[in-house]
Amino acid sequence: MTERLEAGGNADAFEQLMHAHERQVLGTALHMLGRLEDAQDAAQEVFVRLHRNMRKLDSADAVRRWLYRVTVNVCRDMLRKRHDTSALVEMAAPEAGPERLAEEAQRSRAVAQALRQLPEKERAALVLREIEGLSTREVAEILGSSEVTVRSQICSARMKLRRLTQEFLGKKV
Amino acid sequence: MTCAEWQERIAAEEIDAGVRAHLASCGDCAEFVRELEANAAALREVTVPAAAYAAVRARVRAEVRRPRRRWIWAWVCAGAAAVIAALVLLATPRRAQLPLPDVAYAATPPHVIVPQTPVRVVRHRHTKRLAPRRELARAEQPMTIKLQTDDPDVVIYWIVDGKGEAL
């Protein structure tokens, strides 16, 4: 992959990169933005930027980290531009199928709703750490913060997420 | 240490032997850990429909191809502009060598807006009414007519005698 990128970023290499990272980009954007249409817009912007910058990225890991960083930045820009925050709870939580308990599906929706209530930076830190499974150091690099700050943001985000989820589920906090 | 403080440490991933020992003996904090894990699992379960990926790919492909076309047209336009500029440069010296025809001087005058009542520039030095004879003589004195053109920077002054003929 790296050699192909160095060779000049041809269309095949770009297609491969898109396929390899679309879950990462679209998933992160969906968790950040909470609406599939917005997440698609963000993912499109991220991949267009990747197309312009792929020659500068010299390894698969560099591409992965670069994509996380750009995805978070694009989502932040979109969140700042978005004035209407009322329709932020459209994130597609899984439907309660026969194999799933209704309580779990309810929790998924409540958690998705709670995630939307978190401050932008805490949400980004939590998404990268909890959902994408990055280390605190990686999250700090991507967000341009210190590890201490990120740890604090993640801690705060988890506590708030728990409290809000309980509120949405109608439990005592 | 209170349970709230233990939970802060757990949420901050500061897990050590002390935290583990507390978790083994505290039902509330163990439940707190289970809740955090359930929330994280719920977040990870959110799925993106497969069609959404294909739609993004299609939109990206369309987007990355568009600028190339723009560049091609930009080059075509730039080339055409360069050719036109070269032709103009080649033609310009020849024209300059030719004597200008007389008709060039007889070009149509600029469109002027003539005031309906020409302003007569008169300076009254005497408050006394002039004698009719002197007033008549004064009427024969030249008048200045100010003509305003469409161009605010161009103002034409036209001096005429009392009969309205140009001087």
Side-chain angles (χ1 to χ4, degrees):
Chain A
M1 181 72 76
T2 309
E3 290 77 22
R4 300 193 77 169
L5 291 180
E6 284 168 355
N10 59 41
D12 287 347
F14 179 65
E15 281 288 326
Q16 280 185 26
L17 283 177
M18 255 208 302
H19 278 276
H21 296 282
E22 60 187 6
R23 283 180 191 280
Q24 171 194 333
V25 172
L26 198 52
T28 305
L30 181 60
H31 282 105
M32 284 291 293
L33 299 169
R35 205 156 40 190
L36 185 58
E37 281 180 15
D38 290 347
Q40 285 178 301
D41 289 345
Q44 180 185 345
E45 175 63 25
V46 170
F47 282 122
V48 169
R49 289 191 195 182
L50 174 66
H51 187 263
R52 288 190 209 125
N53 292 281
M54 52 196 284
R55 288 181 196 186
K56 297 173 194 167
L57 304 166
D58 56 4
S59 70
D61 191 49
V63 171
R64 180 175 146 274
R65 277 183 282 136
W66 185 91
L67 281 172
Y68 273 126
R69 194 170 63 247
V70 174
T71 304
V72 169
N73 289 340
V74 168
C75 290
R76 279 180 176 176
D77 287 346
M78 287 178 72
L79 286 168
R80 282 185 206 116
K81 286 174 191 166
R82 187 160 66 186
H83 300 296
D84 175 25
T85 54
S86 60
L88 284 177
V89 200
E90 289 179 17
M91 198 156 83
E95 294 295 321
E99 75 284 356
R100 284 181 57 85
L101 295 171
E103 194 185 331
E104 284 179 27
Q106 226 179 352
R107 176 176 287 277
S108 290
R109 290 197 187 89
V111 169
Q113 200 171 352
L115 186 67
R116 307 275 67 74
Q117 309 290 317
L118 297 182
E120 193 186 291
K121 286 182 179 174
E122 289 182 10
R123 195 189 314 170
L126 190 74
V127 166
L128 295 176
R129 177 78 185 104
E130 206 86 296
I131 303 167
E132 298 298 316
L134 304 185
S135 69
T136 312
R137 188 165 56 83
E138 281 179 308
V139 176
E141 271 178 29
I142 288 162
L143 299 181
S145 305
S146 68
E147 277 190 68
V148 175
T149 304
V150 165
R151 202 161 280 148
S152 163
Q153 286 170 338
I154 291 169
C155 173
S156 174
R158 281 178 177 148
M159 300 295 273
K160 287 178 189 169
L161 193 81
R162 175 177 172 263
R163 180 174 53 77
L164 290 165
T165 303
Q166 285 180 335
E167 280 177 17
F168 293 135
L169 290 172
K171 289 184 181 177
K172 279 184 184 176
V173 183
Chain B
M1 237 175 142
T2 64
C3 278
E5 287 168 332
W6 285 114
Q7 288 171 9
E8 283 273 338
R9 288 187 62 181
I10 293 163
E13 300 178 17
E14 293 169 9
I15 311 294
D16 56 13
V19 173
R20 287 194 192 94
H22 177 75
L23 281 173
S25 61
C26 178
D28 283 351
C29 288
E31 175 60 23
F32 174 80
V33 171
R34 277 193 290 276
E35 267 194 76
L36 290 192
E37 286 170 353
N39 289 345
L43 282 175
R44 283 191 286 267
E45 279 175 10
V46 170
T47 51
V48 177
Y53 295 112
V56 169
R57 266 182 258 129
R59 283 161 58 176
V60 171
R61 281 182 205 119
E63 183 72 20
V64 298
R65 279 175 198 155
R66 205 173 295 158
R68 282 183 189 170
R69 286 181 193 157
R70 277 187 201 148
W71 278 112
I72 289 167
W73 281 110
W75 280 111
V76 168
C77 291
V83 170
I84 291 166
L87 289 171
V88 168
L89 282 172
L90 286 170
T92 306
R94 288 180 190 171
R95 273 188 197 167
Q97 287 167 2
L98 292 171
L100 285 172
D102 290 340
V103 288
Y105 298 102
T108 52
H111 178 66
V112 292
I113 303 163
V114 182
Q116 289 180 344
T117 51
V119 181
R120 202 173 122 189
V121 180
V122 177
R123 282 190 180 178
H124 291 280
R125 288 187 182 171
H126 305 285
T127 52
K128 241 178 157 182
R129 184 176 165 77
L130 294 170
R133 198 174 157 191
R134 284 186 71 186
E135 204 169 46
L136 187 67
R138 191 160 196 158
E140 290 172 5
Q141 285 179 355
M143 287 191 299
T144 305
I145 297 172
K146 186 181 176 187
L147 301 175
Q148 291 177 322
T149 67
D150 286 335
D151 187 345
D153 296 325
V154 178
V155 178
I156 298 168
Y157 286 94
W158 191 13
I159 303 168
V160 296
D161 64 11
K163 294 171 186 174
E165 288 177 4
L167 293 174

